[in-house]
Amino acid sequence: AQSVTQPDIHITVSEGASLELRCNYSYGATPYLFWYVQSPGQGLQLLLKYFSGDTLVQGIKGFEAEFKRSQSSFNLRKPSVHWSDAAEYFCAVVKAAGNKLTFGGGTRVLVKP
Amino acid sequence: DVKVTQSSRYLVKRTGEKVFLECVQDMDHENMFWYRQDPGLGLRLIYFSYDVKMKEKGDIPEGYSVSREKKERFSLILESASTNQTSMYLCASSFIGATNEKLFFGSGTQLSVL
């Protein structure tokens, strides 16, 4: 069975500092990989996705993620965090098109002024 | 603009009550999903539907049922609510197709069972 692990439950970062959120997956082949963001009181919004090709993918809101097959990881990064980035972030995988998503446990990001 | 609407933002129910959570989407999506979200556990799929009157169990269907009589509406039913069903419930929808993994989510219903 596929699974997704987000090792960090909470991360606190200063505004303007860089941010990296970790995601590891457990699946034999390369799955489809996603990052979603949930702002307070909102539903989830897709930040970016990786299906194939270039292992560095760009998303919305200035985020990017890098797929590393050797590490079974898909970490999310942002060079300079804004206060509005305070939210909960979820990594998700699906093993093939049309299959259902499996979500990680989420990482809550707090942004200090 | 894409819209998935959940009828209630907050609900408080008593143990043993029958609870209906409603979800409506206006995007003509084939797929609809119900997730529950709990701290540290992320989102877990309860049920999904890929067509009217069709449903499939997700990862945690016990204690829940669903109904999809019309394409735009997907209802989650707690036949006899229990305290361990206190949670945030999220509805989502998507098109069928190669990239149907892009889900559109509602804002969620926070259910408290007392």
Side-chain angles (χ1 to χ4, degrees):
Chain A
Q2 59 197 38
S3 68
V4 186
T5 304
Q6 294 180 244
D8 305 304
I9 297 175
H10 292 101
I11 286 181
T12 300
V13 61
S14 298
E15 192 168 12
S18 63
L19 174 67
E20 181 166 10
L21 304 182
R22 297 183 290 164
C23 173
N24 294 98
Y25 65 91
S26 168
Y27 179 60
T30 300
Y32 296 170
L33 298 156
F34 306 81
W35 276 99
Y36 279 83
V37 61
Q38 184 180 34
S39 299
Q42 305 291 317
L44 276 73
Q45 180 184 20
L46 181 66
L47 279 176
L48 48 78
K49 60 187 177 185
Y50 173 77
F51 287 173
S52 65
D54 192 349
T55 56
L56 185 64
V57 293
Q58 302 298 320
I60 61 171
K61 302 177 186 281
F63 284 92
E64 65 179 24
E66 186 171 14
F67 169 62
K68 293 186 177 179
R69 184 190 307 274
S70 61
Q71 298 177 16
S72 296
S73 70
F74 188 56
N75 294 351
L76 182 72
R77 298 194 294 252
K78 185 168 184 177
S80 177
V81 173
H82 187 261
W83 63 266
S84 60
D85 294 321
E88 190 156 19
Y89 294 80
F90 294 93
C91 182
V93 303
V94 62
K95 62 182 179 182
N99 283 13
K100 58 183 189 280
L101 280 171
T102 298
F103 285 86
T107 299
R108 185 169 296 277
V109 173
L110 303 175
V111 180
K112 295 189 301 185
Chain B
D1 218 8
V2 164
K3 202 152 187 182
V4 178
T5 304
Q6 294 182 232
S7 54
S8 304
R9 184 73 181 93
Y10 299 96
L11 272 181
V12 180
K13 297 292 182 181
R14 295 203 176 276
T15 302
E17 278 193 77
K18 190 170 185 176
V19 181
F20 292 86
L21 302 183
E22 305 288 344
C23 175
V24 176
Q25 51 96 2
D26 64 0
M27 297 161 286
D28 203 33
H29 284 167
E30 293 85 1
N31 297 335
M32 295 189 75
F33 306 81
W34 275 107
Y35 289 88
R36 64 176 282 176
Q37 180 182 3
D38 300 288
L41 298 178
L43 279 71
R44 293 178 291 167
L45 182 63
I46 305 171
Y47 266 97
F48 65 103
S49 167
Y50 51 87
D51 201 354
V52 175
K53 297 191 185 294
M54 305 301 288
K55 62 184 180 184
E56 290 206 18
K57 293 180 180 179
D59 300 316
I60 52 164
E62 297 76 19
Y64 303 94
S65 62
V66 290
S67 172
R68 194 163 180 203
E69 296 295 319
K70 293 184 178 181
K71 190 176 186 180
E72 67 270 19
R73 187 179 297 270
F74 192 37
S75 303
L76 180 69
I77 303 155
L78 287 66
E79 296 289 342
S80 177
S82 63
T83 55
N84 63 11
Q85 292 178 310
T86 291
S87 186
M88 171 69 81
Y89 290 87
L90 292 171
C91 176
S93 69
S94 72
F95 283 116
I96 281 182
T99 57
N100 72 347
E101 297 80 9
K102 181 175 181 181
L103 301 180
F104 294 88
F105 283 86
S107 298
T109 296
Q110 179 63 53
L111 174 66
S112 297
V113 182
L114 307 179

